[in-house]
Amino acid sequence: PFKEALEKALKRPIPKFVNGWFCFGGIAFFLFVVQVITGILLAVYYKASPEDAYESIKFIINEVPLGWLIREIHVWTAHILILAVIIHTARVFFHKAYRPPRELNWMVGVLLLFITLGFGFTGALLSWDSAAYGATVQGTEMLGKLPILGHAAMILIRGGPNITGATLTRFFAVHALVLPWFITYLLIAHFLMIRKQGISQPL
C-alpha cells in the first residue's frame, strides 16, 4: 500500500543529539523551493534586455497584482538562503561531519554553497539599476585580478571588456537556466547520500 511505503520511507527516528543547528540544511532547502516558485512567477513578466529589464521590474512592482510582494519575498529569501547555507556548512565543518565515509557529500555540499553564491551574484544584476551595475563591476573586477586565467574569466562572464546588455543576457541565462540544472542534480546526490549514511554524530 502507498501509505505503508510512504511511512517506511519518511518515518525515521531522530537521534537525540540533533538540535536546532542541524535544521539549517532543511531550512535552506525550504528557502530554495520558495526561490524556485517566486522566480518562476517573476520570470513570467521579466524581460532580460537592457532596454526593458528595469521597466519590467517597475511593472512587476507597480502593476502586477501582488508583484511587489513576490519580488520582495524572492529578494529577501535569497539573502536568508545564503546565510542558512553558510551556517549549515559551518556546522558540518565544526562537527567534522566531512570525515569518512562522508567526504564526497562534503564536497557536494561545498559545490552547493558556491552555486548558491552564484545565484546571488547573477541575480543581483537582473534589476539593471545603478546599484546592480556597480556591484557587478566590482565583483567581475575582483575575478579579473586572479592570476593567469582571471582576466579571461572576466571577459567571458561579462561578454566583453565592459558590463553591457550581453552581460545581462548571460547573467539571466546562467541564473535561470544553467545553475538550476546543476543545483538540482547536486541536491539529489546530496539527499541520497544523507539518506544512505544518516546523520553524522558530532564529536
Side-chain angles (χ1 to χ4, degrees):
F2 179 75
K3 182 180 178 182
E4 186 177 324
L6 193 64
E7 287 183 350
K8 185 178 179 181
L10 297 180
K11 293 183 74 171
R12 308 187 90 187
I14 299 175
K16 292 183 179 180
F17 58 81
V18 171
N19 55 35
W21 291 108
F22 286 77
C23 297
F24 279 94
I27 291 170
F29 178 69
F30 170 75
L31 295 172
F32 170 72
V33 172
V34 173
Q35 285 290 92
V36 171
I37 295 170
T38 55
I40 291 172
L41 294 174
L42 291 173
V44 172
Y45 294 98
Y46 181 73
K47 299 177 182 178
S49 68
E51 296 82 15
D52 301 321
Y54 182 68
E55 292 300 321
S56 67
I57 294 292
K58 287 174 59 178
F59 179 78
I60 290 170
I61 294 172
N62 299 320
E63 303 295 333
V64 176
L66 297 180
W68 64 272
L69 178 62
I70 294 169
R71 181 175 183 268
E72 288 298 316
I73 291 173
H74 193 75
V75 171
W76 283 102
T77 302
H79 289 84
I80 302 170
L81 171 60
I82 291 173
L83 179 62
V85 173
I86 290 173
I87 293 174
H88 176 60
T89 306
R91 198 279 303 167
V92 172
F93 178 79
F94 287 114
H95 282 176
K96 297 187 184 299
Y98 51 79
R99 295 170 297 167
R102 296 177 173 86
E103 58 268 46
L104 179 59
N105 208 12
W106 164 256
M107 290 187 281
V108 171
V110 171
L111 286 175
L112 287 169
L113 170 63
F114 283 116
I115 290 176
T116 303
L117 296 174
F119 269 115
F121 183 63
T122 54
L125 181 65
L126 302 186
S127 59
W128 200 241
D129 53 14
S130 57
Y133 184 89
T136 305
V137 168
Q138 291 181 356
T140 52
E141 283 183 352
M142 289 172 60
L143 178 64
K145 301 288 185 185
L146 294 175
I148 304 175
L149 297 177
H151 183 72
M154 182 186 73
I155 297 297
L156 177 66
I157 289 175
R158 287 183 174 183
N162 301 309
I163 305 294
T164 62
T167 314
L168 177 63
T169 304
R170 291 188 179 203
F171 273 46
F172 179 72
V174 171
H175 187 79
L177 298 174
V178 178
L179 292 181
W181 281 104
F182 277 105
I183 200 168
T184 298
Y185 287 119
L186 288 175
L187 280 173
I188 291 172
H190 200 55
F191 291 145
L192 287 176
M193 283 187 278
I194 293 171
R195 178 75 180 179
K196 181 178 180 180
Q197 297 165 348
I199 300 174
S200 175
Q201 187 170 349
L203 294 176

